[in-house]
């Protein structure tokens, strides 16, 4: 199968496909994605503000600030493995939520590029990325099926799919207890608690997903594969595929290296417990996991780099963290994202068990 560069889903000849049904209103369209954001963002932002305000003020302010600064310095120096979880819990997740919709990037479509507001472009690219990743399932899965998301993140994924498919059951898995708690609060405020549930656990622990084996009409992982250590990428993919019904697809949005990272990026990624594969390593892991590709839709770095350029501070970030952090953090992240995206292609892929 050849790679399609940003041209949509490519299916090898002879691969059976379920007939596509009429797409939900607003699916893969800026107008519909904007409508979703107008509902979702105020709820999510209110939940995040309340959650992190309580978490951060529960510590002594000066002690907490010194601890954050020490951990950040160690992270940049490549020696913060033991402090990364607390950094993400109490500092980085909150910061990222103020500049991005999710913790992943998204390719920019021609329609998104025409939107004048850079922050809105970022949000739309991420919602569109959810739409593209889930596209085969949105178009063909049973309306009352079960869908499983691996990696809750900042809750944009499950919330978008629940909006598009109002009868499906969604199970969102995460290793971070705070992500699950935030997701539960958002689901409750959106009136979705009856069909969206959250589970905390390690995907590599069979007990986490044993009762979900063979139950899903689709499983999706966005930005998850780099968090699997290199020797365990196939194992992680097998664990996700084990939750699928026979013939059901695994959908992945991620990136693979097309040339080496800089030494700084290599060190920063390893410190953050991220290992991006090459294209061949990604496909070898899928093959070792017993999965056959049905879609491999790749986007080069140029399709995604505007995401880095659009990353910037805002009034909300300034009010909560002060003018220095509001200026420094987005600039650091912008440079980091350019270093991350430039050597990589991004890909939407789908696969089924052999």
């Amino acid at each position: 199968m050849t790679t399609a560069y940003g041209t949509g889903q490519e299916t090898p000849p002879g691969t059976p496909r379920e007939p596509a049904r009429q797409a939900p209103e607003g699916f893969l369209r800026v107008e519909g994605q904007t409508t979703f954001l107008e509902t979702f963002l105020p709820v999510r932002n209110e939940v995040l503000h309340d959650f992190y305000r309580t978490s951060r003020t529960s510590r002594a302010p000066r002690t907490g600030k010194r601890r954050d600064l020490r951990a950040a310095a160690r992270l940049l120096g490549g020696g913060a493995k033991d402090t990364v979880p607390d950094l993400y819990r109490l500092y980085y997740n909150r910061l990222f939520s103020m500049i991005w919709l999710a913790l992943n990037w998204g390719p920019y479509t021609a329609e998104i590029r025409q939107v004048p507001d850079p922050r809105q472009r970022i949000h739309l690219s991420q919602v569109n990325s959810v739409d593209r990743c889930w596209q085969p399932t949105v178009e063909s899965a049973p309306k009352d099926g079960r869908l499983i998301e691996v990696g809750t993140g900042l809750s944009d994924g499950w919330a978008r799919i629940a909006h598009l498919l109002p009868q499906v059951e969604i199970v969102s898995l995460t290793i971070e207890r705070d992500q699950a708690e935030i997701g539960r609060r958002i689901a409750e405020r959106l009136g979705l608690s009856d069909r969206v549930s959250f589970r905390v656990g390690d995907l590599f622990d069979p007990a986490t997903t044993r009762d979900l084996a063979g139950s899903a009409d689709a499983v999706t992982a966005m930005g998850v594969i780099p968090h699997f250590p290199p020797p365990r990428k196939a194992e992680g993919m097998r664990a996700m595929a084990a939750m699928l019904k026979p013939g059901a697809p695994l959908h992945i949005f991620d990136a693979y290296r097309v040339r080496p990272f800089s030494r700084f990026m290599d060190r920063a990624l390893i410190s953050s417990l991220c290992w991006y594969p090459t294209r061949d390593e990604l496909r070898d892991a899928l093959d070792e996991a017993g999965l056959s590709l049905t879609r491999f839709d790749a986007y080069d770095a140029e399709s995604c780099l505007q995401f880095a350029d659009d990353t910037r501070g805002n009034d909300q970030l300034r009010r909560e963290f002060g003018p220095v952090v509001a200026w420094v953090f987005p600039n650091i992240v912008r440079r980091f994202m350019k270093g991350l995206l430039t050597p990589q292609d991004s890909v939407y892929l789908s696969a089924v068990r052999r």
Side-chain angles (χ1 to χ4, degrees):
M1 180 174 61
T2 58
T3 301
Y5 278 86
T7 59
Q9 179 172 304
E10 177 172 319
T11 304
T15 300
R17 288 189 60 193
E18 295 293 327
R21 60 169 175 261
Q22 184 175 357
E25 185 177 357
F27 179 57
L28 288 170
R29 301 291 299 173
V30 161
E31 309 94 90
Q33 293 160 350
T34 300
T35 299
F36 164 74
L37 286 168
E38 288 170 350
T39 301
F40 172 70
L41 268 176
V43 172
R44 191 205 67 171
N45 290 346
E46 184 178 349
V47 168
L48 286 170
H49 179 268
D50 292 346
F51 182 87
Y52 285 110
R53 180 179 59 183
T54 301
S55 298
R56 288 172 61 80
T57 56
S58 65
R59 300 180 296 168
R62 294 185 64 185
T63 302
K65 187 171 290 187
R66 286 197 301 269
R67 186 177 174 188
D68 288 339
L69 290 172
R70 284 198 303 269
R74 293 180 65 197
L75 181 66
L76 291 173
K81 290 183 181 179
D82 57 327
T83 58
V84 164
D86 193 55
L87 267 173
Y88 273 88
R89 284 189 64 244
L90 298 177
Y91 205 69
Y92 286 154
N93 269 356
R94 180 61 183 144
L95 283 167
F96 281 125
S97 72
M98 290 189 177
I99 58 174
W100 297 343
L101 173 70
L103 296 175
N104 289 318
W105 62 92
Y108 276 47
T109 66
E111 194 178 15
I112 291 171
R113 290 179 190 276
Q114 294 174 3
V115 174
D117 179 11
R119 192 177 187 192
Q120 184 75 349
R121 286 197 297 265
I122 280 182
H123 290 170
L124 287 168
S125 74
Q126 293 177 314
V127 176
N128 191 66
S129 204
V130 174
D131 285 5
R132 290 283 290 109
C133 191
W134 281 97
Q135 183 175 358
T137 291
V138 170
E139 293 177 343
S140 63
K143 291 185 177 181
D144 58 350
R146 169 183 281 178
L147 307 179
I148 296 178
E149 172 189 59
V150 178
T152 304
L154 293 174
S155 288
D156 61 304
W158 65 261
R160 175 61 174 164
I161 297 306
H163 174 84
L164 291 170
L165 301 176
Q167 293 175 289
V168 299
E169 175 199 357
I170 299 172
V171 181
S172 185
L173 306 178
T174 178
I175 200 167
E176 290 192 33
R177 65 184 185 277
D178 290 357
Q179 289 185 358
E181 179 57 29
I182 288 166
R184 289 188 190 101
R185 296 184 191 187
I186 293 171
E188 182 177 355
R189 296 197 190 189
L190 291 174
L192 298 171
S193 298
D194 59 330
R195 59 188 187 90
V196 181
S197 60
F198 301 87
R199 185 173 300 198
V200 180
D202 188 341
L203 187 68
F204 292 108
D205 180 357
T208 300
T209 59
R210 185 174 291 123
D211 63 317
L212 298 174
S215 70
D217 293 284
V219 173
T220 292
M222 300 185 68
V224 170
I225 304 304
H227 296 289
F228 298 160
R232 304 191 75 182
K233 291 197 185 296
E235 181 185 352
M237 292 178 184
R238 274 196 300 271
M240 293 191 290
M243 295 184 281
L244 293 166
K245 292 178 180 177
L250 170 66
H251 304 307
I252 291 171
F253 172 68
D254 233 305
Y256 56 84
R257 288 179 286 118
V258 294
R259 53 186 176 274
F261 290 118
S262 68
R263 291 179 62 186
F264 168 78
M265 283 301 302
D266 260 335
R267 186 170 183 176
L269 289 169
I270 292 171
S271 179
S272 302
L273 308 182
C274 284
W275 300 269
Y276 283 89
T278 64
R279 180 178 182 274
D280 287 344
E281 288 168 347
L282 177 62
R283 296 185 72 144
D284 287 348
L286 287 161
D287 187 62
E288 186 182 341
L291 293 161
S292 296
L293 280 168
T294 60
R295 174 178 64 154
F296 197 92
D297 189 6
Y299 289 75
D300 62 20
E302 201 59 39
S303 304
C304 303
L305 280 173
Q306 189 173 346
F307 182 93
D309 291 331
D310 282 344
T311 298
R312 60 193 67 189
N314 54 66
D315 290 341
Q316 184 182 1
L317 183 63
R318 192 173 298 107
R319 282 194 300 270
E320 186 163 338
F321 287 91
V324 175
V325 171
W327 184 85
V328 170
F329 181 73
N331 277 284
I332 291 174
V333 172
R334 183 186 303 119
R335 294 187 179 206
F336 180 90
M337 289 304 296
K338 284 189 174 181
L340 176 69
L341 294 174
T342 299
Q344 300 202 91
D345 284 352
S346 299
V347 64
Y348 301 97
L349 69 84
S350 299
V352 295
R353 285 188 292 176
R354 292 196 291 272

